[in-house]
Amino acid sequence: MTSYLRHFILLAAFLVAFQLVADDGPKTTAYNFLSVPSSSHVYALGGHNLTVIDDDINLVEQNPSLLGPEFDHQVGINYMRYIGDTNFAGVRYGQGVSEHGAFAVGVQYFGYGNIQGAAIDGTKTGTFSASDMAFNVTYSHDISEKFRGGITVKYLYSKYEDYSAGAVAADLGVNYYDPDHEFTASLVAKNLGGQVKKFNEFKDNLPWDIQVGMSKMISAMPVRLHLTAYELTRWKSPYYKISDVNNPNSELIEKDSFGSNLLRHLVFGIDILPSDNIYLAVGYNYRTRTDMATYKRDFLSGFSLGGGLKVRAFGFGAAFARPHTGATTFMFNVTTSIGELMR
C-alpha cells in the first residue's frame, strides 16, 4: 500500500468519523444549494454523476478525484437559469503541479432575485435580496496507475437581507478508471464539516452525503451508461402523492415501499458519443419526478437532456430540464485551455 493511499484512507476515516460525531441529532438542514451541479454534462445526466470522464473542469465539483494534470491551465465557466428569478453562475481554474497531481480553485454564486419582505403582522417592508456563495480549493493525486484521490475544501457564505452565515465543508473522493475496458467507478463523501457562523442561535446541518457511481462504455456502439447512487446516509425516503390527479385538493398518500426508496437513491444516465468532440446526454432522476408528484408535472418531469461540442480550444455544453409545467431550467458551460489559446 502506497503512502498516498494510507494517508487518503486515514483522512477519509477522520472526516467521516468527525461528521458522525458532530451530527448529534436531527437539525435543520441548510446549504442545500450544494446539491446543484455546475456542469451542464452532469445536469443532463440527471443532476448527480461522479464518473464522467470528459475534458471539462466543471466536473470536478461533483468529484474532486476527477481532477488531474490533464486539466492544466483550463478555465471553466458555468451559468444556470433556474426556477423563477434565480440565477447561478461560477468559474473554476485548474493547474497541474506534477506529473501525478493537480489543484483547482473556484467560486460559485447562487442568486435568488428580489424577495418581498413583510413584518409579523403582514405589513410589507419592501424587497430584499438573498444569495449564497461557495469558494473552493481542490487537490488531487494519482494513488496508483488506475486510482486517483482528491479533496475539495469549501467556504460557504450566505447573505439573506441583513443576516449572514458561514460554514466550512470538505468533499473527499476516490476514482478508479480502467481505460482498456472504459470503466469508471467512484466513491465520494460530500459536505463534511459544519457552521462557523450561524444565522441566529439555531445550528444548521450541512447536507453531508456519501455517494457511489459507475460508468461503462458499450464496446459495440458509441454509448456510455451511468449509474449514480446518492443520499446514502439514510435509506428511508418517502414521498407524498395526491390520491386524485384531477383534484389538487384531494388527500395525500404516503409512498414508502422498498422499490420507491431504492429508486429515489438512483440516477440513470446515457451518453451518446458520435465522435471525440461531440456528446448527447439523457438522464432520469426518479426523486425529482416523485418530489413533483403533488404538483402539475408533465411527461418530462425527472428527465434531463443535453449535449456538448469541442471546437479547437473551446468546449461548449448545454442542458435542459423541466421538473414541472411551471419550471423550465437551462444550464450552459464554456471551457477553454489557456495553453491551447496561446499556441
Side-chain angles (χ1 to χ4, degrees), residues 256 315 332:
D256 192 22
F332 184 72

Side-chain angles (χ1 to χ4, degrees), residues 127-191:
T127 61
F128 65 92
S129 62
S131 63
D132 295 303
M133 296 189 73
F135 304 88
N136 54 78
V137 178
T138 302
Y139 176 75
S140 71
H141 195 92
D142 293 339
I143 299 171
S144 67
E145 184 179 348
K146 295 181 179 179
F147 281 94
R148 177 181 289 170
I151 182 171
T152 296
V153 178
K154 299 176 280 191
Y155 178 72
L156 313 174
Y157 177 74
S158 299
K159 176 71 172 178
Y160 302 162
E161 197 188 29
D162 293 330
Y163 301 92
S164 64
V168 176
D171 297 345
L172 196 63
V174 62
N175 184 69
Y176 170 84
Y177 177 53
D178 181 353
D180 295 332
H181 297 90
E182 296 186 277
F183 174 78
T184 311
S186 289
L187 170 65
V188 180
K190 289 194 171 186
N191 306 321

Side-chain angles (χ1 to χ4, degrees), residues 3-324:
S3 61
Y4 286 111
L5 182 56
R6 286 197 298 269
H7 293 158
F8 184 85
I9 292 173
L10 288 172
L11 179 60
F14 171 77
L15 289 174
V16 173
F18 172 80
Q19 188 66 43
L20 290 171
V21 171
D23 192 9
D24 56 356
K27 303 178 185 70
T28 303
T29 299
Y31 306 97
N32 291 306
F33 59 87
L34 292 170
S35 64
V36 179
S38 60
S39 164
S40 60
H41 198 162
V42 169
Y43 195 57
L45 291 171
H48 297 274
N49 191 293
L50 313 175
T51 50
V52 176
I53 303 299
D54 197 5
D55 185 23
D56 181 2
I57 196 170
N58 293 297
L59 297 167
V60 173
E61 174 267 332
Q62 288 281 299
N63 180 358
S65 62
L66 291 179
L67 178 67
E70 62 271 19
F71 292 117
D72 189 37
H73 294 104
Q74 186 176 120
V75 177
I77 300 172
N78 66 84
Y79 169 77
M80 172 182 271
R81 175 65 177 178
Y82 204 55
I83 298 171
D85 295 327
T86 55
N87 293 273
F88 307 150
V91 61
R92 191 180 303 266
Y93 169 78
Q95 183 170 318
V97 294
S98 69
E99 185 180 352
H100 299 287
F103 81 93
V105 294
V107 60
Q108 198 73 16
Y109 172 80
F110 304 83
Y112 308 111
N114 292 321
I115 300 172
Q116 178 64 56
I120 296 177
D121 61 2
T123 303
K124 294 184 178 180
T125 58
T127 61
F128 65 92
S129 62
S131 63
D132 295 303
M133 296 189 73
F135 304 88
N136 54 78
V137 178
T138 302
Y139 176 75
S140 71
H141 195 92
D142 293 339
I143 299 171
S144 67
E145 184 179 348
K146 295 181 179 179
F147 281 94
R148 177 181 289 170
I151 182 171
T152 296
V153 178
K154 299 176 280 191
Y155 178 72
L156 313 174
Y157 177 74
S158 299
K159 176 71 172 178
Y160 302 162
E161 197 188 29
D162 293 330
Y163 301 92
S164 64
V168 176
D171 297 345
L172 196 63
V174 62
N175 184 69
Y176 170 84
Y177 177 53
D178 181 353
D180 295 332
H181 297 90
E182 296 186 277
F183 174 78
T184 311
S186 289
L187 170 65
V188 180
K190 289 194 171 186
N191 306 321
L192 303 170
Q195 281 188 303
V196 295
K197 184 179 184 300
K198 305 174 185 177
F199 275 119
N200 46 44
E201 68 273 17
F202 298 104
K203 178 184 177 182
D204 290 319
N205 273 353
L206 270 67
W208 83 282
D209 192 15
I210 294 177
Q211 303 181 2
V212 297
M214 63 182 67
S215 298
K216 181 68 174 73
M217 191 78 175
I218 305 301
S219 57
M221 60 187 72
V223 173
R224 182 169 55 193
L225 305 179
H226 305 273
L227 176 64
T228 306
Y230 70 113
E231 290 203 9
L232 299 182
T233 54
R234 59 173 183 172
W235 165 252
K236 291 180 68 66
S237 182
Y239 70 97
Y240 292 87
K241 183 178 181 180
I242 56 176
S243 56
D244 183 357
V245 294
N246 296 316
N247 179 11
N249 298 317
S250 61
E251 180 184 2
L252 294 178
I253 302 174
E254 184 183 47
K255 298 291 186 178
D256 192 22
S257 66
F258 174 86
S260 68
N261 279 315
L262 176 62
L263 288 173
R264 280 172 61 81
H265 289 289
L266 301 177
V267 177
F268 305 89
I270 300 175
D271 272 327
I272 301 172
L273 307 165
S275 77
D276 292 339
N277 297 321
I278 299 174
Y279 75 84
L280 301 173
V282 180
Y284 180 69
N285 189 321
Y286 181 76
R287 178 183 293 270
T288 299
R289 184 169 182 82
T290 50
D291 281 347
M292 296 295 106
T294 56
Y295 294 85
K296 189 177 181 181
R297 67 184 184 192
D298 59 19
F299 172 76
L300 290 177
S301 180
F303 288 95
S304 49
L305 308 168
L309 174 67
K310 180 82 180 286
V311 181
R312 295 184 180 179
F314 290 92
F316 303 93
F320 162 88
R322 186 179 170 90
H324 63 84

